[in-house]
Amino acid sequence: MSQTLVTVDGVPLKVSLARAQRRGKLKAIGLVVPLFLFILVTFFVPILDMLFRSVENQLVGEVMHRTVPLLNNWDEQSGELPSEEVFAALAEDFIEANETKLGGRVGRRLNYEKPGFSGLFRKTTRKAGSLEAPYQQSFIDINQKWGDVENWKIFKRESAPYTISYYLAAVDLGYGETGEIVRNKDDRRIYLKLFWRTVWMSSLITVICLFLAYPIAYLLSALPTRKSNLLIILVLLPFWTSLLVRTTAWIALLQQEGVINDLIVWLGFVADDNRLSMIHNRTGTIIAMVHILLPFMVLPLYSVMKTIPPSYMKAAKSLGATPFTAFVRIYMPNTVAGIGAGAILVFILSIGYYITPALVGGQSGTLISNFIAFHMSSSLNWGLAAALGAILLAIVLILYFLYDRIVGIDNMKLG
Amino acid sequence: MSNAKPLVRFVDIQKSYDGEILVVKNLNLDVAEGEFLTMLGPSGSGKTTCLMMLAGFEPATHGEIYLKDQSINNVAPHKRGIGMVFQNYALFPHMTVAENLAFPLEVRKMDKSEREQRVKRALDMVQLGPFGDRRPSQLSGGQQQRVAVARSLVFDPDLVLMDEPLGALDKNLREQMQYEIKHIHENLGLTVVYVTHDQSEALTMSNRIAVFDDGIIQQCAPPEVLYEQPANAFCANFIGENNRLFGKVIEDFGDSVKVKIDQGGEVHAKKVNVGGVGERSTLSLRPERVVVAPEEGSLPNEFSAKAEELIYLGDHIRTRFTVCGHDDFIVKIPNSAAHASLQEGDTVKIGWNMEDCRALDPSD
Ligand SMILES: Nc1ncnc2c1ncn2[C@@H]1O[C@H](COP(=O)(O)OP(=O)(O)OP(=O)(O)O)[C@@H](O)[C@H]1O
Ligand SMILES: [Mg+2]
């Protein structure tokens, strides 16, 4: 072993070095802290909150705090209703819920599992004052759904503080008769189809972007700087107009009475009564999104291509390769970093894209994010929205991981 | 060398990139088979342009280039079969060294065993046998340079072009590589067209040097001729160190002239590239040809000179004199006992032979 090195005044070298570097480190931390806090508050905390909401289920247990502990003793497989004691506790909970106005919310929560709970809870809360012993009969008098064991099973299942039922719903699964997990009926399977549609449409958009952007980026990188700067501005031009304006411009162009249809009818390619429908469907979403996301493909490609010395191609040709071979064997492999960066950027952006599909997607062109938004703002089923979002996040992370394994994140060049 | 038949011929080549400026003006040059020809010249003089026209990456604006008596103006670069070493090596970063070397063989559809054999031979030639599996980025500059040379030779071209291949290397490595390239050239009997703006590199390596300036070949000659007998003031100044005196011809003896220096004094010089009486001339004189304290009357040109600055360089002492009103007159004094006494500020006699002082064009 070597002995520890010391400075002239006897302090170990490592200690002395650490001391000298501390100031530099503090300064670096000081520079990073504001952005770090900002990202923490506006990005990580909301994501964690979303992940939490997708499994959180405190409401039922809190509002029905007398009934829920007693339900643990009830054997739901017995086929009998819970005991009178449980109904008595339920009555007390409803009387309290009538005052706190929380009964409706519990009903809405249970309604996700089986339609009808919302009405049941609203009605029962309203009539809580008239409940009296024997409570079981009194409840059944208000609504005979209280006499159905199936309903009690759902109540018990969804009274746990955490639930996976949002995730089940998000992948078109549910609970069967005996509490086992089964696929939903055909007409209620929507989310898997939507996820699949989102993934393949995003892939298609990415591929189209790549094919459109590659030649442009190649041209840009080959031009002298003054000209290429001008063209880069043209590439970036779409960023200067609002997303909404651009999307509505596509509506004006693509609709049945729009410019493009008028043109091809006038040219005689299609009959006037047979105009193409290019908007408010899948085609519309793809066209508009390719247009919007194209710069995100062009820029990484351009920045990579610009760093490829022209001498590579010349060298390949001087070694006897035809221009085509030189391009495929030498030029393209050197742009992989740009292709990867652009593709992952466009794919991740489009997999979560919302406004454009909402405006021009119609029925067949909406994506999963439109449903997330719907559950956030219209149906107010935040748990399901969170579960859908979490699955989307997982898909992106898996793709990112695959990309890292295949291409390597270190090779990615964003600009 | 000059009696071998030319492998490459540039005939009346002109080149303009923008249609306004001629970058290469009327180039006529023959490169003999087996020759090592260097294009030497200041930056922007059109060396790379000439090489690119030969390799096929730039079309000539006017004139013909012949390779083995075939005009190659309309032959695509990949069909010319000319090896090329680029200044930044242009090794393909996504391929290993061996794959880089195999590339030209692959595109020629050579079969695998022969390919491997050739790659191995090429690697051994540049002493990089064990490095075949490395990426270019894992090699030092000198090693990358060798790979580039090996790659340009692996498909047995008759002609290899090198555009400042050693520009990025440090001095020691550069000298070592100069010898290696020179040996490869001799062993394989290649024809090499080499571009550099380092004159010592040109002098050590070449059979002939073409000095470029302003798109024109100023002189094309073997190194010793270029150094001893520069044809004009530009070559004299560009190759080696050179003292210049400016003046006007006052007498013409046929093969020598008498020139009156502007600031005073008359010099008897060899007539090389100068008009008759009354014309201006630049006199060129190598520092090592000046004699300090010559015997009285032994030399045709003798002047008194004041030593302004002495720099001790071991084997010789570089001395700056003021002579005939020029204060940048350099003399290399051998470090012998006879001259040890010279001090800054001393005035001594210096002189030189008529043959050593060449009367050239007035340049600027
Ligand atoms: N692609 C081009 N387009 C326009 N002008 C060019 C181009 N390439 C070179 N030139 C011009 O042609 C002239 C000669 O260039 P060239 O590259 O041949 O010089 P060089 O002798 O190789 O110089 P260096 O020693 O610096 O490499 C220069 O003035 C240069 O600006
Ligand atoms: Mg050059």
Side-chain angles (χ1 to χ4, degrees):
Chain A
M1 285 303 294
S2 61
Q3 66 202 73
T4 39
L5 293 168
V6 293
T7 58
V8 181
D9 46 3
V11 185
L13 200 57
K14 285 211 167 114
V15 176
S16 171
L17 184 67
R19 207 177 285 158
Q21 287 177 341
R22 194 171 308 147
R23 260 185 62 134
K25 277 186 192 157
L26 283 177
K27 208 161 124 190
I29 290 173
L31 291 173
V32 169
V33 157
L35 181 61
F36 177 72
L37 286 179
F38 179 78
I39 288 179
L40 191 73
V41 170
T42 60
F43 188 70
F44 283 108
V45 171
I47 284 185
L48 287 178
D49 182 59
M50 179 195 77
L51 289 176
F52 181 65
R53 267 175 203 276
S54 67
V55 294
E56 182 258 9
N57 193 35
Q58 315 279 3
L59 182 72
V60 179
E62 268 167 24
V63 177
M64 300 284 150
H65 60 97
R66 294 179 188 83
T67 319
V68 169
L70 293 176
L71 268 181
N72 287 334
N73 301 329
W74 172 58
D75 176 12
E76 62 263 48
Q77 306 302 344
S78 65
E80 289 170 13
L81 287 175
S83 62
E84 177 67 13
E85 187 194 7
V86 176
F87 279 96
L90 187 63
E92 277 186 62
D93 282 339
F94 265 110
I95 290 165
E96 187 182 318
N98 195 16
E99 284 157 17
T100 56
K101 311 276 184 227
L102 288 172
R105 280 182 58 189
V106 176
R108 237 184 12 243
R109 166 67 190 91
L110 293 177
N111 206 55
Y112 298 150
E113 308 302 321
K114 185 177 176 191
F117 265 103
S118 189
L120 174 65
F121 269 62
R122 239 182 296 128
K123 190 169 174 195
T124 314
T125 314
R126 212 165 48 235
K127 298 196 173 168
S130 66
L131 288 166
E132 57 192 11
Y135 287 105
Q136 181 171 345
Q137 196 52 49
S138 179
F139 269 100
I140 291 173
D141 288 345
I142 291 178
N143 191 325
Q144 47 183 322
K145 283 178 184 164
W146 286 117
D148 186 347
V149 179
E150 289 307 314
N151 289 341
W152 277 97
K153 280 184 186 170
I154 293 171
F155 187 15
K156 179 173 177 181
R157 195 180 71 217
E158 298 305 326
S159 62
Y162 297 99
T163 178
I164 59 162
S165 51
Y166 293 127
Y167 279 100
L168 293 180
V171 292
D172 295 333
L173 296 175
Y175 290 98
E177 300 274 310
T178 53
E180 82 281 15
I181 293 170
V182 294
R183 296 185 68 185
N184 285 339
K185 292 198 193 72
D186 277 350
D187 58 330
R188 293 195 55 212
R189 287 182 206 156
I190 45 173
Y191 296 117
L192 278 186
K193 234 187 290 174
L194 264 172
F195 272 119
W196 174 236
R197 182 198 287 171
T198 307
V199 169
W200 78 252
M201 277 179 60
S202 302
S203 310
L204 184 62
I205 287 164
T206 309
V207 170
I208 296 175
C209 277
L210 180 62
F211 276 99
L212 292 178
Y214 205 92
I216 295 288
Y218 181 75
L219 176 71
L220 286 176
S221 69
L223 285 176
T225 323
R226 206 159 43 86
K227 280 186 195 157
S228 73
N229 280 347
L230 195 72
L231 286 177
I232 282 279
I233 291 175
L234 290 182
V235 168
L236 292 177
L237 206 58
F239 283 143
W240 297 0
T241 33
S242 125
L243 186 63
L244 230 49
V245 172
R246 272 181 288 156
T247 309
T248 36
W250 277 114
I251 298 178
L253 276 175
L254 295 176
Q255 65 190 340
Q256 299 236 301
E257 304 298 320
V259 179
I260 291 178
N261 261 315
D262 284 348
L263 195 68
I264 52 182
V265 166
W266 181 72
L267 289 173
F269 288 126
V270 295
D272 195 19
D273 52 358
N274 195 16
R275 287 170 173 252
L276 304 178
S277 53
M278 295 180 289
I279 200 90
H280 302 304
N281 57 17
R282 217 164 276 173
T283 322
T285 305
I286 290 171
I287 292 176
M289 279 179 65
V290 164
H291 172 231
I292 286 160
L293 296 175
L294 201 54
F296 293 100
M297 187 66 96
V298 174
L299 292 179
L301 279 176
Y302 168 67
S303 82
V304 167
M305 288 176 176
K306 217 174 43 170
T307 64
I308 299 177
S311 61
Y312 285 2
M313 286 289 275
K314 285 186 186 159
K317 286 182 203 164
S318 82
L319 294 170
T322 59
F324 178 76
T325 312
F327 187 78
V328 173
R329 294 273 320 269
I330 305 302
Y331 194 83
M332 291 224 301
N334 279 300
T335 59
V336 164
I339 295 177
I344 210 162
L345 205 58
V346 170
F347 187 84
I348 289 178
L349 280 172
S350 58
I351 208 173
Y353 226 74
Y354 158 64
I355 301 177
T356 306
L359 287 176
V360 302
Q363 263 291 321
S364 62
T366 42
L367 302 179
I368 195 73
S369 45
N370 301 106
F371 273 76
I372 296 177
F374 168 76
H375 286 304
M376 291 288 291
S377 54
S378 300
S379 82
L380 298 183
N381 188 350
W382 285 25
L384 182 55
L388 290 169
I391 292 175
L392 201 55
L393 182 65
I395 293 177
V396 170
L397 288 180
I398 288 170
L399 282 170
Y400 196 72
F401 175 77
L402 286 180
Y403 178 87
D404 187 31
R405 292 298 292 276
I406 298 167
V407 186
I409 288 300
D410 305 341
N411 285 333
M412 186 149 89
K413 259 188 119 162
L414 285 175
Chain B
M1 234 6 112
S2 52
N3 46 16
K5 79 180 200 326
L7 183 70
V8 178
R9 288 176 61 209
F10 290 92
V11 178
D12 295 334
I13 292 293
Q14 293 183 318
K15 173 70 185 176
S16 172
Y17 284 104
D18 50 10
E20 287 168 17
I21 301 163
L22 275 179
V23 171
V24 175
K25 300 168 188 159
N26 202 26
L27 174 79
N28 283 289
L29 180 66
D30 289 0
V31 184
E33 209 161 335
E35 190 175 24
F36 196 119
L37 180 111
T38 299
M39 297 179 174
L40 176 68
S43 193
S45 56
K47 308 181 295 289
T48 300
T49 305
C50 287
L51 220 54
M52 288 299 158
M53 286 191 289
L54 182 49
F57 297 122
E58 288 291 346
T61 313
H62 175 82
E64 297 275 344
I65 302 175
Y66 295 95
L67 181 66
K68 296 182 192 156
D69 294 326
Q70 303 276 324
S71 168
I72 52 170
N73 281 26
N74 295 317
V75 178
H78 65 276
K79 292 189 183 138
R80 295 193 182 190
I82 299 176
M84 181 140 190
V85 180
F86 292 81
Q87 176 164 14
N88 55 5
Y89 316 140
L91 297 177
F92 308 136
H94 60 295
M95 295 180 176
T96 64
V97 169
E99 285 166 347
N100 263 284
L101 293 188
F103 182 77
L105 308 178
E106 264 171 59
V107 299
R108 285 177 171 73
K109 308 246 173 5
M110 196 173 280
D111 58 69
K112 193 151 183 272
S113 57
E114 161 122 42
R115 224 158 59 199
E116 280 167 1
Q117 205 182 328
R118 286 226 195 179
V119 168
K120 189 173 170 313
R121 208 167 54 205
L123 278 176
D124 288 342
M125 180 181 70
V126 292
Q127 290 129 45
L128 285 177
F131 293 91
D133 292 330
R134 295 226 198 151
R135 290 286 163 99
S137 58
Q138 295 166 317
L139 299 179
S140 73
Q143 289 167 338
Q144 291 181 29
Q145 211 282 331
R146 282 180 221 188
V147 176
V149 171
R151 190 179 65 177
S152 72
L153 296 174
V154 73
F155 59 98
D156 288 341
D158 300 323
L159 175 64
V160 180
L161 315 181
M162 303 192 184
D163 191 358
E164 301 191 34
L166 307 181
L169 304 182
D170 67 44
K171 190 166 170 292
N172 281 338
L173 198 52
R174 200 156 66 214
E175 280 169 8
Q176 187 193 336
M177 288 305 303
Q178 286 169 9
Y179 287 112
E180 287 188 20
I181 291 177
K182 189 68 191 150
H183 287 151
I184 290 172
H185 162 246
E186 280 162 5
N187 294 340
L188 301 185
L190 289 170
T191 309
V192 178
V193 178
Y194 192 96
V195 165
T196 182
H197 51 222
D198 178 342
Q199 45 147 313
S200 72
E201 192 166 299
L203 291 173
T204 42
M205 298 180 79
S206 321
N207 298 132
R208 266 193 315 155
I209 301 173
V211 179
F212 274 67
D213 185 41
D214 201 18
I216 293 174
I217 295 187
Q218 303 287 339
Q219 188 174 5
C220 183
E224 61 279 7
V225 175
L226 204 58
Y227 188 83
E228 303 290 345
Q229 302 160 30
N232 55 36
F234 176 81
C235 291
N237 204 33
F238 193 72
I239 310 276
E241 217 172 353
N242 175 48
N243 289 310
R244 295 196 296 176
L245 300 170
F246 302 101
K248 197 186 268 182
V249 178
I250 51 171
E251 223 174 314
D252 190 342
F253 305 110
D255 57 355
S256 68
V257 285
K258 187 158 270 177
V259 175
K260 186 174 190 308
I261 307 300
D262 296 341
Q263 284 86 350
E266 286 175 9
V267 177
H268 192 194
K270 187 172 158 71
K271 184 180 175 189
V272 179
N273 182 12
V274 68
V277 175
E279 295 291 321
R280 291 197 58 77
S281 172
T282 305
L283 299 179
S284 158
L285 181 62
R286 299 286 180 200
E288 65 272 16
R289 295 295 168 89
V290 179
V291 184
V292 178
E295 239 173 79
E296 197 83 30
S298 66
L299 293 170
N301 298 298
E302 281 177 20
F303 297 93
S304 73
K306 182 158 169 258
E308 302 285 356
E309 197 178 350
L310 287 89
I311 299 172
Y312 182 78
L313 288 170
D315 60 339
H316 72 269
I317 296 159
R318 233 179 107 86
T319 313
R320 184 166 63 82
F321 285 104
T322 300
V323 180
C324 302
H326 290 78
D327 66 353
D328 55 357
F329 197 92
I330 303 294
V331 179
K332 288 182 183 166
I333 306 176
N335 190 3
S336 60
H339 301 299
S341 59
L342 191 64
Q343 297 288 325
E344 262 173 46
D346 289 357
T347 301
V348 291
K349 271 240 149 12
I350 59 170
W352 56 84
N353 267 311
M354 182 268 286
E355 289 80 21
D356 292 333
C357 183
R358 298 167 68 82
L360 304 171
D361 55 303
S363 70
D364 35 46

PDB file of all heavy atoms in Angstrom, chain B residues 17 23 42-49 164 197, ligand 1:
ATOM      1  N   TYR B  17     -14.287  28.649 -59.085  1.00  0.00           N
ATOM      2  CA  TYR B  17     -15.449  28.183 -58.336  1.00  0.00           C
ATOM      3  C   TYR B  17     -16.663  29.071 -58.591  1.00  0.00           C
ATOM      4  O   TYR B  17     -17.786  28.611 -58.625  1.00  0.00           O
ATOM      5  CB  TYR B  17     -15.165  28.173 -56.832  1.00  0.00           C
ATOM      6  CG  TYR B  17     -14.292  27.030 -56.379  1.00  0.00           C
ATOM      7  CD1 TYR B  17     -12.961  27.232 -56.078  1.00  0.00           C
ATOM      8  CD2 TYR B  17     -14.815  25.753 -56.256  1.00  0.00           C
ATOM      9  CE1 TYR B  17     -12.161  26.188 -55.652  1.00  0.00           C
ATOM     10  CE2 TYR B  17     -14.024  24.700 -55.835  1.00  0.00           C
ATOM     11  CZ  TYR B  17     -12.699  24.918 -55.530  1.00  0.00           C
ATOM     12  OH  TYR B  17     -11.922  23.882 -55.123  1.00  0.00           O
ATOM     13  N   VAL B  23      -8.975  30.249 -59.657  1.00  0.00           N
ATOM     14  CA  VAL B  23      -8.217  29.715 -58.532  1.00  0.00           C
ATOM     15  C   VAL B  23      -6.980  28.977 -59.044  1.00  0.00           C
ATOM     16  O   VAL B  23      -5.922  29.006 -58.441  1.00  0.00           O
ATOM     17  CB  VAL B  23      -9.121  28.774 -57.706  1.00  0.00           C
ATOM     18  CG1 VAL B  23      -8.316  28.045 -56.673  1.00  0.00           C
ATOM     19  CG2 VAL B  23     -10.233  29.559 -57.067  1.00  0.00           C
ATOM     20  N   PRO B  42       1.641  28.607 -50.385  1.00  0.00           N
ATOM     21  CA  PRO B  42       0.932  29.214 -49.256  1.00  0.00           C
ATOM     22  C   PRO B  42      -0.551  28.856 -49.268  1.00  0.00           C
ATOM     23  O   PRO B  42      -1.064  28.314 -50.239  1.00  0.00           O
ATOM     24  CB  PRO B  42       1.143  30.715 -49.474  1.00  0.00           C
ATOM     25  CG  PRO B  42       1.467  30.850 -50.912  1.00  0.00           C
ATOM     26  CD  PRO B  42       2.126  29.590 -51.340  1.00  0.00           C
ATOM     27  N   SER B  43      -1.204  29.150 -48.184  1.00  0.00           N
ATOM     28  CA  SER B  43      -2.621  28.842 -48.053  1.00  0.00           C
ATOM     29  C   SER B  43      -3.425  29.561 -49.135  1.00  0.00           C
ATOM     30  O   SER B  43      -3.170  30.726 -49.440  1.00  0.00           O
ATOM     31  CB  SER B  43      -3.093  29.285 -46.666  1.00  0.00           C
ATOM     32  OG  SER B  43      -4.344  28.744 -46.420  1.00  0.00           O
ATOM     33  N   GLY B  44      -4.348  28.849 -49.727  1.00  0.00           N
ATOM     34  CA  GLY B  44      -5.212  29.465 -50.731  1.00  0.00           C
ATOM     35  C   GLY B  44      -4.605  29.517 -52.106  1.00  0.00           C
ATOM     36  O   GLY B  44      -5.134  30.158 -53.002  1.00  0.00           O
ATOM     37  N   SER B  45      -3.481  28.839 -52.313  1.00  0.00           N
ATOM     38  CA  SER B  45      -2.831  28.937 -53.618  1.00  0.00           C
ATOM     39  C   SER B  45      -3.386  27.936 -54.622  1.00  0.00           C
ATOM     40  O   SER B  45      -2.938  27.903 -55.755  1.00  0.00           O
ATOM     41  CB  SER B  45      -1.327  28.741 -53.448  1.00  0.00           C
ATOM     42  OG  SER B  45      -1.063  27.509 -52.808  1.00  0.00           O
ATOM     43  N   GLY B  46      -4.314  27.072 -54.194  1.00  0.00           N
ATOM     44  CA  GLY B  46      -4.974  26.189 -55.152  1.00  0.00           C
ATOM     45  C   GLY B  46      -4.462  24.758 -55.153  1.00  0.00           C
ATOM     46  O   GLY B  46      -4.771  23.988 -56.055  1.00  0.00           O
ATOM     47  N   LYS B  47      -3.710  24.369 -54.133  1.00  0.00           N
ATOM     48  CA  LYS B  47      -3.161  23.004 -54.090  1.00  0.00           C
ATOM     49  C   LYS B  47      -4.265  21.964 -53.944  1.00  0.00           C
ATOM     50  O   LYS B  47      -4.350  21.016 -54.722  1.00  0.00           O
ATOM     51  CB  LYS B  47      -2.190  22.884 -52.902  1.00  0.00           C
ATOM     52  CG  LYS B  47      -1.129  23.956 -52.853  1.00  0.00           C
ATOM     53  CD  LYS B  47      -0.205  23.762 -51.676  1.00  0.00           C
ATOM     54  CE  LYS B  47      -0.865  23.910 -50.326  1.00  0.00           C
ATOM     55  NZ  LYS B  47      -1.245  25.278 -49.969  1.00  0.00           N
ATOM     56  N   THR B  48      -5.101  22.163 -52.918  1.00  0.00           N
ATOM     57  CA  THR B  48      -6.184  21.212 -52.689  1.00  0.00           C
ATOM     58  C   THR B  48      -7.084  21.135 -53.909  1.00  0.00           C
ATOM     59  O   THR B  48      -7.529  20.061 -54.305  1.00  0.00           O
ATOM     60  CB  THR B  48      -6.987  21.627 -51.452  1.00  0.00           C
ATOM     61  OG1 THR B  48      -6.109  21.639 -50.339  1.00  0.00           O
ATOM     62  CG2 THR B  48      -8.114  20.662 -51.181  1.00  0.00           C
ATOM     63  N   THR B  49      -7.324  22.285 -54.517  1.00  0.00           N
ATOM     64  CA  THR B  49      -8.184  22.322 -55.693  1.00  0.00           C
ATOM     65  C   THR B  49      -7.635  21.414 -56.791  1.00  0.00           C
ATOM     66  O   THR B  49      -8.378  20.646 -57.407  1.00  0.00           O
ATOM     67  CB  THR B  49      -8.320  23.770 -56.191  1.00  0.00           C
ATOM     68  OG1 THR B  49      -8.774  24.569 -55.110  1.00  0.00           O
ATOM     69  CG2 THR B  49      -9.275  23.859 -57.345  1.00  0.00           C
ATOM     70  N   GLU B 164      -2.038  17.241 -47.194  1.00  0.00           N
ATOM     71  CA  GLU B 164      -1.522  17.607 -45.873  1.00  0.00           C
ATOM     72  C   GLU B 164      -1.794  16.517 -44.844  1.00  0.00           C
ATOM     73  O   GLU B 164      -2.423  16.765 -43.821  1.00  0.00           O
ATOM     74  CB  GLU B 164      -2.139  18.928 -45.413  1.00  0.00           C
ATOM     75  CG  GLU B 164      -1.830  20.048 -46.389  1.00  0.00           C
ATOM     76  CD  GLU B 164      -2.196  21.404 -45.835  1.00  0.00           C
ATOM     77  OE1 GLU B 164      -2.062  21.591 -44.618  1.00  0.00           O
ATOM     78  OE2 GLU B 164      -2.612  22.267 -46.618  1.00  0.00           O
ATOM     79  N   HIS B 197       2.091  22.598 -46.914  1.00  0.00           N
ATOM     80  CA  HIS B 197       2.687  23.933 -46.967  1.00  0.00           C
ATOM     81  C   HIS B 197       3.873  24.036 -46.017  1.00  0.00           C
ATOM     82  O   HIS B 197       4.306  25.114 -45.667  1.00  0.00           O
ATOM     83  CB  HIS B 197       1.670  25.068 -46.777  1.00  0.00           C
ATOM     84  CG  HIS B 197       0.792  24.944 -45.590  1.00  0.00           C
ATOM     85  ND1 HIS B 197      -0.539  25.233 -45.628  1.00  0.00           N
ATOM     86  CD2 HIS B 197       1.031  24.571 -44.344  1.00  0.00           C
ATOM     87  CE1 HIS B 197      -1.059  25.039 -44.453  1.00  0.00           C
ATOM     88  NE2 HIS B 197      -0.145  24.635 -43.650  1.00  0.00           N
TER      89      HIS B 197
HETATM   90  N1  LIG C   1     -15.686  24.886 -52.595  1.00  0.00           N
HETATM   91  C1  LIG C   1     -15.179  26.112 -52.843  1.00  0.00           C
HETATM   92  N2  LIG C   1     -15.991  27.107 -53.254  1.00  0.00           N
HETATM   93  C2  LIG C   1     -15.481  28.330 -53.513  1.00  0.00           C
HETATM   94  N3  LIG C   1     -14.192  28.667 -53.378  1.00  0.00           N
HETATM   95  C3  LIG C   1     -13.335  27.724 -52.974  1.00  0.00           C
HETATM   96  C4  LIG C   1     -13.784  26.392 -52.672  1.00  0.00           C
HETATM   97  N4  LIG C   1     -12.714  25.668 -52.290  1.00  0.00           N
HETATM   98  C5  LIG C   1     -11.661  26.505 -52.338  1.00  0.00           C
HETATM   99  N5  LIG C   1     -12.013  27.746 -52.751  1.00  0.00           N
HETATM  100  C6  LIG C   1     -11.115  28.874 -52.961  1.00  0.00           C
HETATM  101  O1  LIG C   1     -10.112  28.482 -53.850  1.00  0.00           O
HETATM  102  C7  LIG C   1      -8.856  28.977 -53.454  1.00  0.00           C
HETATM  103  C8  LIG C   1      -7.848  27.854 -53.385  1.00  0.00           C
HETATM  104  O2  LIG C   1      -8.276  26.937 -52.398  1.00  0.00           O
HETATM  105  P1  LIG C   1      -7.492  25.620 -52.072  1.00  0.00           P
HETATM  106  O3  LIG C   1      -8.283  24.886 -51.067  1.00  0.00           O
HETATM  107  O4  LIG C   1      -7.176  24.909 -53.322  1.00  0.00           O
HETATM  108  O5  LIG C   1      -6.172  26.174 -51.410  1.00  0.00           O
HETATM  109  P2  LIG C   1      -4.959  25.380 -50.772  1.00  0.00           P
HETATM  110  O6  LIG C   1      -3.783  25.713 -51.583  1.00  0.00           O
HETATM  111  O7  LIG C   1      -5.295  23.940 -50.612  1.00  0.00           O
HETATM  112  O8  LIG C   1      -4.823  26.076 -49.351  1.00  0.00           O
HETATM  113  P3  LIG C   1      -4.499  25.437 -47.934  1.00  0.00           P
HETATM  114  O9  LIG C   1      -3.018  25.305 -47.874  1.00  0.00           O
HETATM  115  O10 LIG C   1      -4.995  26.447 -46.997  1.00  0.00           O
HETATM  116  O11 LIG C   1      -5.208  24.136 -47.846  1.00  0.00           O
HETATM  117  C9  LIG C   1      -9.069  29.694 -52.142  1.00  0.00           C
HETATM  118  O12 LIG C   1      -9.088  31.072 -52.396  1.00  0.00           O
HETATM  119  C10 LIG C   1     -10.415  29.236 -51.688  1.00  0.00           C
HETATM  120  O13 LIG C   1     -11.067  30.280 -51.018  1.00  0.00           O
END
